[in-house]
Amino acid sequence: MIEFSIIPLFTWLVSLLAVPAILLFRKRPDAREGITFLAAFLKLGMIFMMLPLIREGKILHFKFGEILPGIPIEFRVDGLGMLFALVASSLWILTTLYAVGYMRGLKEHDQTRFFACFAISLSATIGVAFAGNLLTLYIFYEILSLSTYPLVTHHGDKAARTGGRTYLSHLLGTSVAFVLPAMIYCYWKSGADINFTDGAFLDGKIGSSDGLIVLLAFTLGFAKSGLMPFHSWLPNAMVAPTPVSALLHAVAVVKVGVFCVLRVFTGVFGTDFLQKLDVGTVITYIAAFTIIVSSLIALTQDNLKRRLAFSTIGQLAYIVLGVSFLSSNGVTGSMMHIAMHAFGKITLFFCAGAIFVASGKKYISQMVGLGRQMPITMIAFLIGSLSIIGLPPFGGAWSKWYLFLGALDADQTAMAIVLVISSLLNIAYLLPIPVNALFRSPPQKGKKGSDAGIKEAPLACLIPLCITALAGLIFFLFPGLGFELAELITK
Amino acid sequence: MTEHFPILILLVPLFGALIVVLLGRERPEQCWVTSLVSLGISSIISLFTIIIVLSDKVQTIRYRMGGWEPEANGYEVGIELRVDILAALVVFAVTFVGFVNTIYSKTRAEAEVQGKVSFFYALIQLLIVGLCGIVMTNDAFNLYVLIEITSLTSYALIAMGNRRAALSSFNYVIMGTIGASFYLLGVGYLYIKTGTLNIDDIRMVLGNNDLWEHQSIIVAFIFIMLGVWTKMAFFPLHGWLPNAYAYAPSMTGTFMAPLMTKVMVYVMIRVMVWLFGWDFVYSDQHVWRELVIWMAVIAIVAGSLLALARTDIKKMLTYLIIAEVGYMVGGAWLGNVTGQAGAFYHILSDAAMTFCLFIAASIIVLRVGDSRVSAFDGLFRKMPLTMIGFTVGALSMIGLPPTCGFFSKWYLISGGMKAGQWEYVCALIFSSLVNAIIFFRIFERAYFGKIAGVKEDLSPSDSDANPDTGIKEVPWSMLVPLFIASGSVLLLGIMNRTLFEWIQTALEVMNT
Amino acid sequence: MDPIIANFIEENIVPKFNYWIYVILMMIGLYAMITKNNLIKKLIGMAIFQTAIILFYVSIGVKEAGGIPIISHHGSEHHQEAGAHSEAGSENLKHNIIDKDKYANPLPHVLMLTAIVVGVSTLGLALAISQRIHKSFGTLEEDEILNKLRPGGHD
C-alpha cells in the first residue's frame, strides 16, 4: 500500500524553483507572472497525476533522509494530504490571476517580493500537506509563518508593522511554546517514532492526563487554526493586500492550522485511542466557544475584511469541532468543510478586494446599493455566503450536514444545537451584505460623483471569483471525490 | 607521523606566534599571511585527527609528551595528551574558528590595534595553543597551566582595545584569577589524596581506594566546579563577561565569544564525566544535582531577560552567551546521556551561532557607526548579505529548524523531560521565546525602519565605529567569514544526527 | 585554659596549621580584591591570594625530618668504590632508588614553580593594564574611573 514515488518531491519543489526565476525576471512583470502560472499549473498537474493512485488506496512516500535519530524528513501523501493539496494548488492558480488584477489595478509596490513569497508559502503549504511525520510538519509550519510575514506586512506602514508583530508573535510563540515540547514529549514516549502511520503512533503509550495536556498543547499550539484565545492574529493580519488575505488567511495558512489539528487527531493519537482516553470533550468546548463568540464579534464589525476574518475563525472552529467528535462522520464533515469553506471564503475575499479596487470602499455600511454598479461581484458574494452558511444547493451544505451527523454520533446534542445557532448567526452577519447591495438603493449621493464612476472590477479579478463561486455549486452536485478521500482516512 | 598530530596542532601556532613576533619588526604586513597559514595547517591537522579518531582501530589517541613511559604500577609519569572524538571535534572547532577569524581580521587589525598588529596575531595564536591544549591534555595541573595561558593571552587581547576595554580587562583579570586559582586549589586536594595528576590515574586511584565520599574529594569537586564556572561565566559568576566581550576590539570579540566559555564547558563535562565519574556526580547523596539545575534555570532566565533589556547590540549578545552557558550546564547536570550529549553538541552549535552573530554585529557596528539596536534600521535593504548572515544566526538562537540551535534544543529538552526536570524544559522554552522577541524586534527594525544616517559622534561602547561615508556592504574579507559561519550553523544542523551519534557513543564509553 | 578549647586547638588547629594559614591568607587576598578601591591594592590582594595557594601546595609536600629534595651525587667515587660497598647500597645506586623519607616531596615544588611563573606573568600583565588605565583615566581609584565613564553612558 505504501509506494515510493518521486512526484511528491517535484510537487513541492516546483514552486521553490520558481522563486529564483521570479527574482530574475523582476523587471519584466508579464514574464514574472507567467512563471508563477507555469509553476502553479505544473503543481496542480502533478497532483492530478497522483490522484488516481491515492484513490486506489495507495500512499505515496518519499524520504529525504534522517535528520534526527529515528526521524526522517519525509513526504507521505494520503487522502487528507491529497485533499488539502488539491484545494491549495487549484486556488493558487486562481489567486495568482486575481492578484495580477488587484496589484496592477492598485499599482502596488514590491510585486516581485510579493509573488516570490507567495511561491515559497505555497511550497511550505504543500510541505505541510505531504508531511509524513511531526517534525516535517513542524518545519514547514514554521517556514510558512516566516514566509508569509513579508506578505502580511507588505504595505510597510505602521498598521502593517503592528499587524505583522501580532501575526508573528502569536504564531511563533504558540508553536515554540506548545507544539515543540509536545512533539518532543511524543518522541520520547513513543520511543523515537513520530511518523503518521495508519495506526497512529501514540496508541497505548500515554495515559489520559498527559494525553489531554499533549492534545491541548497541539491544538492550541497550532494557532494557525484560529482557536480562541490565540486567534487575534487573524483579524490583525487583514492589513495585508486582499490577495494575501484571500489565499493565505482563508485557504492556506488557516487551513494549514486545522490540517495540523486533524493530523494530530487522526495520525498522532488516532480517533479510537482518543475515544478510549476520553479527552475529546475539552476541545469540543473550546471549539464551540470559539464558534459562538467569533460569530457574535463578526456581527459587530463594519470593516468587511475583519468581518470575514471573524467568520473564518468560526468556520475553522467548525472543522476542529467536527474532528473532536471522534466519529467518522465528524472527520468526514471536517475534511469536506476544508474544501467547501476554502472555496466559499475565497469567493468572499475576492469580492471584498474587487470592491476595494473598483470603488475604494472598505466598510460594509458604504456598500448599500453597490450591486447596481457591481452586479456580478455581488451575486458571487451571495453565492459564497450561501455556501458558507451551509444552504443547498451549495457545497457547504454537505459539510454542515456531516458535522451535524457527527455531533449526533457523539451524543453531543448540545453541539448540534450550537451548529444550528451558529448557522443562524452566519446568516445574520453574511447575508445582509449582498442583499443590501443588490436589493436596496444606494443612499443620496453626498459627495458629488464619488459613486458615479464605479464599474465592475477588472476582468482579472472577476474571472476567479466567478469560478470559485460556481465551484460551490459544482461541489454540491459532485461531492464524490471529497467523500472518497475522506473515507480513506476514516476507515 | 600521524601519531604526532596532537602535538603538532599545538606546535604549529606556537611557532607561528614566534615567527609573527619576529616578523613584526621588519614586515608587519606579512603577519596576517603567516597567521593564516599556521592556523590553516592546524585546522587541517585537526580535521585529520577527527578522521583518525573515528576509525575503529584508534578510538583515542594517547600521546605522551617527551615519551616518558609509565611506571611499573601503571601510573603515568609525564604529561599525557588524550584525544578522543569529543576532544577532536572541539579542537577542530577552535582552530577552524581561529582560521576564519583571521580572514576577518585582515582589514580590521591595523585599524583597531595600531602598531601592534604583530602582537595581536601572536597572542591569538598563543590563545589557540592554550585552548587546544586545554581540550587535549590529560593532566590536571597541565590543565591549570593551559587555562592560565589562555586567560593571560585573552586579558592582553582585550586590553588592546580602547580605555573601557582596558578597564574591563582588569576586572576580567581579577575574576579570572580567582577562578583559575580555585581550580588549582581543587587539584591540590585531589593530589593530596591520590598522589597523581594524570586524570585517568586520579580516577583509578579514587576508585581503587573507594575515596569517593571522603571530604577532600567533595571539597575538590566543589572548588574545581567553582573555578570552571567562573571561567565560563555561569550566572552569578558572570560579571566579567559582558564588559570584556563587548568592549574588546571586534576581531578579538568575534574569536573569544564563541570559544572561550565553550571550552570551559568542555572542561566541566570532562571533569564531571571522566575525572569524577557518573556515580559520584549524579548520586542522590549529594544535593548538588538539583541545586545546579536550578542555578542553570536561573542563569537561563536571567541571561535572557538581561539581554532583552539591553539596547547595545554587543552587550545583548554577551548576555545571550550567559544564557547559553546556562543551557549547557543544565544539560550536563541532568543525569542522563542525552543531556550530556546535548550539552556537548550545544558547545559546537553555540560556537557556530555566536561566531555568526558576533561577526554580523561587528560588521554592522562598523559600517553604521552606532552600536545600539537602532543601528539596524532599514538594513535589509542596504546590507542584505550581512543581514542574511545575521538572520541565520538569529534563527538558530531562537531555535527554528533546520539550524543547529533547533536540534540542540531538541536534545536538551528531551534530556530534561527524561530526567523529569520540567523547570529546565520550561526555562529553555522561555529562553526561545525571549530570543524570538529580541531578534524579531531587530528584524522588524531592519525590515521597516528608516535607514540610520552617518553618526558624527562615536558611541562610547564600541571601539571600532568609524564614520564611514554611507552604508554599503563591507569588503569580502569580512563577508566570507560571515557566510562560512552561517553555513556551518546550517551544516551542523543538517548533520546533527551523525555528530550526535558520535558524541553519544563516546560519552557512553566514558560513562561506563 | 579551658580543656575543651585546648583540646580543640590541639586536634584541629595545631596539626593543620598550614591549612589555617593558607585559608587566612586567601581570605585576606580575596577581601582586598573585592573591597579595595585602588586598582593596585586589588592586584596586591590578587598576589596574596595566589601566594596562599602556592603556600598550600608547598606545605603538603613537607615530611617530618625530610630535607631539600636534591639528591647529592659524589661524582665518580661511587662507581669506583662500587665493589667496596655493601650489596644493598650498590643495588640501590644502580637502580637509582632513594630513601623517600629523607626528602620532601619535590612534585609540589615543581608545580608551584610553574604556578609562581604564572602568577608573576599575571601580575606583570595586570600592572601593564593598570598603567594603561592610569594613562587613559588619570587615576587608579575605581570609583573615580567609574564616575568618569558615567556621563558617557553605561549600558
Side-chain angles (χ1 to χ4, degrees):
Chain A
M1 284 247 290
I2 300 190
E3 245 182 49
F4 173 83
S5 163
I6 206 167
I7 308 181
L9 174 67
F10 283 124
T11 318
W12 171 74
L13 208 51
V14 71
S15 43
L16 262 191
L17 289 177
V19 175
I22 293 175
L23 290 174
L24 214 62
F25 283 104
R26 71 164 75 90
K27 296 285 167 51
R28 306 194 1 210
D30 289 331
R32 184 186 65 202
E33 264 72 291
I35 292 176
T36 312
F37 274 118
L38 183 63
F41 275 112
L42 280 175
K43 199 194 269 286
L44 192 59
M46 285 193 261
I47 294 181
F48 273 124
M49 262 172 30
M50 291 194 280
L51 189 58
L53 296 169
I54 303 293
R55 287 172 77 173
E56 281 169 30
K58 295 213 184 103
I59 297 182
L60 296 177
H61 186 254
F62 179 83
K63 190 155 105 159
F64 280 94
E66 266 193 27
I67 198 166
L68 271 175
I71 316 179
I73 304 275
E74 63 176 351
F75 286 148
R76 189 179 167 276
V77 186
D78 60 3
L80 181 56
M82 178 55 65
L83 177 75
F84 184 32
L86 273 171
V87 168
S89 26
S90 48
L91 288 175
W92 186 24
I93 300 177
L94 293 172
T95 312
T96 309
L97 179 58
Y98 182 84
V100 168
Y102 185 91
M103 302 293 270
R104 293 188 187 189
L106 290 177
K107 299 199 187 357
E108 286 271 4
H109 60 101
D110 273 317
Q111 289 190 31
T112 311
R113 183 181 73 190
F114 179 88
F115 285 108
C117 288
F118 238 91
I120 301 179
S121 307
L122 256 299
S123 233
T125 311
I126 296 292
V128 169
F130 289 168
N133 58 36
L134 267 178
L135 183 63
T136 318
L137 190 74
Y138 179 78
I139 292 179
F140 285 117
Y141 185 90
E142 299 290 36
I143 293 180
L144 185 63
S145 306
L146 293 176
S147 68
T148 45
Y149 179 77
L151 292 169
V152 169
T153 55
H154 181 85
H155 286 132
D157 56 10
K158 196 157 192 312
R161 191 171 171 153
T162 329
R165 214 181 253 202
T166 320
Y167 183 75
L168 217 47
S169 60
H170 277 68
L171 291 183
L172 272 186
T174 49
S175 63
V176 169
F178 297 129
V179 176
L180 184 60
M183 175 168 57
I184 299 181
Y185 189 78
C186 290
Y187 174 77
W188 171 38
K189 283 293 184 186
S190 70
D193 168 26
I194 53 175
N195 300 314
F196 302 133
T197 47
D198 286 320
F201 61 83
L202 270 186
D203 202 326
K205 303 225 174 79
I206 335 188
S208 131
S209 48
D210 350 356
L212 179 60
I213 297 180
V214 172
L215 189 64
L216 265 178
F218 274 127
T219 313
L220 292 176
F222 284 121
K224 289 195 175 109
S225 63
L227 281 180
M228 293 188 169
F230 297 118
H231 64 287
S232 43
W233 61 270
L234 189 51
N236 284 325
M238 294 300 106
V239 294
T242 308
V244 176
S245 309
L247 181 71
L248 268 32
H249 304 285
V251 180
V253 168
V254 301
K255 290 300 185 297
V256 159
V258 289
F259 176 86
C260 293
V261 173
L262 264 173
R263 272 281 190 228
V264 165
F265 270 80
T266 57
V268 172
F269 284 90
T271 44
D272 299 323
F273 182 53
L274 282 174
Q275 270 180 337
K276 275 190 245 158
L277 289 182
D278 197 24
V279 292
T281 11
V282 179
I283 311 291
T284 312
Y285 285 127
I286 297 179
F289 179 80
T290 306
I291 295 175
I292 302 287
V293 173
S294 64
S295 306
L296 290 173
I297 300 183
L299 278 173
T300 68
Q301 298 291 318
D302 196 31
N303 181 314
L304 179 57
K305 279 169 64 173
R306 277 183 76 97
R307 183 178 284 206
L308 293 179
F310 279 102
S311 162
T312 304
I313 295 176
Q315 299 292 319
L316 295 172
Y318 279 161
I319 300 178
V320 176
L321 186 71
V323 78
S324 73
F325 292 142
L326 302 177
S327 65
S328 64
N329 279 334
V331 174
T332 308
S334 294
M335 284 178 66
M336 297 291 283
H337 204 57
I338 290 184
M340 304 305 167
H341 174 251
F343 279 87
K345 208 29 113 19
I346 210 173
T347 314
L348 298 181
F349 268 103
F350 281 163
C351 296
I355 295 174
F356 186 68
V357 170
S359 68
K361 290 181 199 249
K362 288 200 273 192
Y363 294 97
I364 297 173
S365 45
Q366 301 167 322
M367 295 178 193
V368 180
L370 200 52
R372 316 242 172 227
Q373 284 126 331
M374 305 181 68
I376 306 180
T377 313
M378 280 310 181
I379 293 178
F381 196 97
L382 181 61
I383 296 179
S385 311
L386 290 174
S387 184
I388 298 263
I389 293 169
L391 293 172
F394 298 106
W398 283 117
S399 47
K400 277 274 169 75
W401 176 243
Y402 273 88
L403 287 173
F404 195 76
L405 284 181
L408 294 178
D409 276 349
D411 291 325
Q412 299 267 20
T413 35
M415 292 304 141
I417 298 177
V418 164
L419 280 173
V420 172
I421 295 180
S422 60
S423 300
L424 292 174
L425 287 172
N426 288 351
I427 297 179
Y429 68 66
L430 275 182
L431 267 188
I433 307 173
V435 165
N436 279 343
L438 289 168
F439 301 123
R440 280 176 56 181
S441 48
Q444 304 88 342
K445 296 173 182 39
K447 316 168 188 92
K448 53 180 193 293
S450 63
D451 286 353
I454 299 177
K455 304 189 293 286
E456 267 294 1
L459 204 60
C461 292
L462 268 188
I463 296 181
L465 59 91
C466 291
I467 296 180
T468 52
L470 282 174
L473 185 61
I474 296 176
F475 285 158
F476 178 76
L477 298 172
F478 303 106
L481 180 58
F483 284 124
E484 261 188 67
L485 292 172
E487 216 179 324
L488 288 169
I489 296 292
T490 54
K491 69 171 184 310
Chain B
M1 180 61 169
T2 57
E3 65 269 11
H4 291 294
F5 274 174
I7 194 64
L8 277 178
I9 298 177
L10 294 179
L11 281 182
V12 171
L14 188 59
F15 281 112
L18 211 56
I19 297 177
V20 163
V21 169
L22 292 174
L23 272 183
R25 300 193 165 285
E26 306 301 318
R27 306 165 190 248
E29 58 285 350
Q30 305 275 27
C31 295
W32 179 71
V33 176
T34 321
S35 265
L36 204 62
V37 166
S38 83
L39 289 176
I41 296 178
S42 210
S43 309
I44 295 177
I45 298 181
S46 48
L47 192 58
F48 280 130
T49 316
I50 296 183
I51 300 176
I52 294 176
V53 169
L54 278 177
S55 70
D56 276 326
K57 310 191 268 130
V58 186
Q59 290 290 350
T60 313
I61 304 179
R62 286 176 179 274
Y63 186 85
R64 296 196 183 92
M65 302 276 293
W68 290 94
E69 292 300 319
E71 287 177 18
N73 51 11
Y75 289 144
E76 291 291 336
V77 172
I79 294 177
E80 195 192 7
L81 296 180
R82 181 184 174 278
V83 183
D84 58 1
I85 183 64
L86 301 178
L89 283 171
V90 178
V91 165
F92 178 67
V94 169
T95 46
F96 187 65
V97 169
F99 175 70
V100 175
N101 191 52
T102 313
I103 304 178
Y104 172 77
S105 68
K106 176 164 188 262
T107 42
R108 300 305 309 148
E110 188 50 49
E112 295 182 17
V113 285
Q114 299 84 350
K116 301 188 202 150
V117 171
S118 61
F119 296 130
F120 168 76
Y121 283 114
L123 285 170
I124 283 263
Q125 290 186 78
L126 289 174
L127 179 56
I128 293 179
V129 169
L131 286 172
C132 293
I134 292 178
V135 172
M136 291 196 286
T137 186
N138 205 22
D139 181 288
F141 187 79
N142 192 232
L143 191 58
Y144 165 73
V145 173
L146 289 163
I147 289 179
E148 285 293 55
I149 292 179
T150 313
S151 311
L152 285 171
T153 44
S154 54
Y155 304 149
L157 280 169
I158 294 176
M160 280 173 121
N162 62 16
R163 63 181 202 169
R164 286 189 82 122
L167 188 62
S168 319
S169 180
F170 188 87
N171 280 326
Y172 183 20
V173 170
I174 301 289
M175 284 204 73
T177 311
I178 298 180
S181 306
F182 273 147
Y183 173 82
L184 186 58
L185 210 48
V187 170
Y189 278 103
L190 279 179
Y191 175 70
I192 295 178
K193 279 326 250 184
T194 61
T196 171
L197 289 168
N198 183 296
I199 292 182
D200 291 332
D201 291 344
I202 293 179
R203 172 118 179 243
M204 201 162 58
V205 171
L206 289 177
N208 287 346
N209 302 330
D210 199 16
L211 288 169
W212 295 113
E213 293 311 313
H214 199 276
Q215 269 182 335
S216 315
I217 307 303
I218 297 182
V219 165
F221 184 67
I222 295 178
F223 270 129
I224 293 181
M225 279 294 131
L226 281 176
V228 175
W229 285 343
T230 313
K231 303 262 12 164
M232 71 165 83
F234 183 52
F235 192 93
L237 301 165
H238 66 288
W240 56 270
L241 189 131
N243 285 343
Y245 287 0
Y247 300 139
S250 73
M251 23 177 217
T252 315
T254 49
F255 180 74
M256 291 177 44
L259 290 178
M260 297 230 19
T261 47
K262 318 299 175 294
V263 170
M264 286 300 141
V265 171
Y266 171 84
V267 170
M268 181 186 80
I269 296 181
R270 273 292 296 261
V271 165
M272 280 167 62
V273 168
W274 197 229
L275 216 179
F276 286 96
W278 185 283
D279 299 318
F280 177 76
V281 175
Y282 298 129
S283 83
D284 290 321
Q285 289 176 317
H286 307 298
V287 69
W288 52 50
R289 203 184 106 196
E290 291 285 335
L291 191 62
V292 173
I293 296 185
W294 273 107
M295 286 169 67
V297 166
I298 296 175
I300 297 174
V301 171
S304 306
L305 289 177
L306 286 170
L308 190 59
R310 297 282 148 219
T311 54
D312 180 297
I313 306 172
K314 285 198 179 169
K315 281 280 182 72
M316 183 190 82
L317 290 176
T318 57
Y319 279 105
L320 285 177
I321 297 180
I322 295 176
E324 302 281 330
V325 168
Y327 287 14
M328 292 186 266
V329 174
W333 278 83
L334 282 174
N336 55 40
V337 180
T338 316
Q340 285 175 348
F344 189 88
Y345 176 74
H346 200 60
I347 290 181
L348 301 172
S349 143
D350 193 50
M353 56 185 175
T354 312
F355 189 43
C356 182
L357 284 172
F358 256 84
I359 294 186
S362 303
I363 292 178
I364 292 171
V365 167
L366 167 68
R367 266 291 179 244
V368 180
D370 180 9
S371 71
R372 289 166 299 166
V373 175
S374 48
F376 275 92
D377 287 347
L379 273 187
F380 265 120
R381 285 189 199 273
K382 271 289 179 171
M383 299 175 73
L385 297 172
T386 316
M387 281 310 290
I388 291 178
F390 185 83
T391 309
V392 172
L395 291 180
S396 187
M397 278 279 182
I398 298 173
L400 291 174
T403 58
C404 54
F406 172 74
F407 295 108
S408 45
K409 288 221 166 84
W410 177 284
Y411 293 126
L412 290 172
I413 293 181
S414 302
M417 284 186 181
K418 278 192 207 162
Q421 301 284 359
W422 296 98
E423 68 271 13
Y424 179 68
V425 173
C426 289
L428 285 178
I429 296 189
F430 176 77
S431 160
S432 300
L433 292 173
V434 171
N435 286 354
I437 297 177
I438 293 177
F439 285 110
F440 275 102
R441 271 199 318 209
I442 293 183
F443 288 150
E444 217 186 61
R445 284 204 120 131
Y447 190 74
F448 282 101
K450 303 189 199 357
I451 298 166
V454 174
K455 294 273 182 266
E456 295 303 322
D457 47 45
L458 299 175
S459 312
S461 59
D462 68 281
S463 55
D464 48 4
N466 279 317
D468 271 304
T469 55
I471 304 168
K472 341 179 264 297
E473 277 290 4
V474 289
W476 280 104
S477 69
M478 289 201 247
L479 278 180
V480 165
L482 180 59
F483 288 144
I484 297 180
S486 332
S488 30
V489 165
L490 291 170
L491 194 65
L492 280 175
I494 296 176
M495 281 184 49
N496 79 87
R497 190 178 62 100
T498 340
L499 284 172
F500 191 76
E501 277 168 5
W502 292 341
I503 297 170
Q504 207 174 19
T505 332
L507 280 172
E508 271 162 14
V509 164
M510 272 196 179
N511 279 326
T512 46
Chain C
M1 216 194 298
D2 196 31
I4 300 180
I5 299 182
N7 200 31
F8 177 78
I9 294 180
E10 210 182 286
E11 280 190 18
N12 291 318
I13 300 191
V14 170
K16 306 182 188 175
F17 73 94
N18 60 326
Y19 297 112
W20 282 104
I21 290 180
Y22 105 78
V23 166
I24 294 172
L25 276 178
M26 207 166 82
M27 290 302 119
I28 294 176
L30 211 52
Y31 171 78
M33 277 199 272
I34 295 175
T35 58
K36 291 292 172 192
N37 216 9
N38 185 304
L39 296 186
I40 301 296
K41 290 191 186 171
K42 281 185 196 267
L43 289 182
I44 296 178
M46 184 177 86
I48 297 176
F49 183 77
Q50 286 183 310
T51 312
I53 298 180
I54 294 174
L55 212 64
F56 163 62
Y57 262 83
V58 171
S59 69
I60 63 183
V62 164
K63 294 181 200 161
E64 259 184 53
I68 305 171
I70 297 179
I71 303 176
S72 57
H73 278 289
H74 296 300
S76 52
E77 306 159 18
H78 275 294
H79 293 289
Q80 287 163 5
E81 299 170 29
H85 281 269
S86 67
E87 277 296 305
S90 64
E91 282 301 311
N92 274 354
L93 285 169
K94 238 193 253 184
H95 295 291
N96 288 324
I97 297 174
I98 54 168
D99 185 1
K100 61 174 169 36
D101 289 334
K102 286 219 279 249
Y103 304 103
N105 189 348
L107 186 58
H109 296 198
V110 166
L111 301 179
M112 287 307 104
L113 281 173
T114 317
I116 291 173
V117 169
V118 169
V120 166
S121 330
T122 314
L123 195 57
L125 182 63
L127 285 171
I129 298 180
S130 316
Q131 245 194 338
R132 170 99 196 273
I133 293 178
H134 184 80
K135 232 192 306 193
S136 311
F137 290 102
T139 169
L140 279 176
E141 301 291 328
E142 199 179 14
D143 48 3
E144 289 177 26
I145 298 177
L146 288 177
N147 272 337
K148 291 206 176 167
L149 287 174
R150 197 140 292 150
H154 217 346
D155 193 62

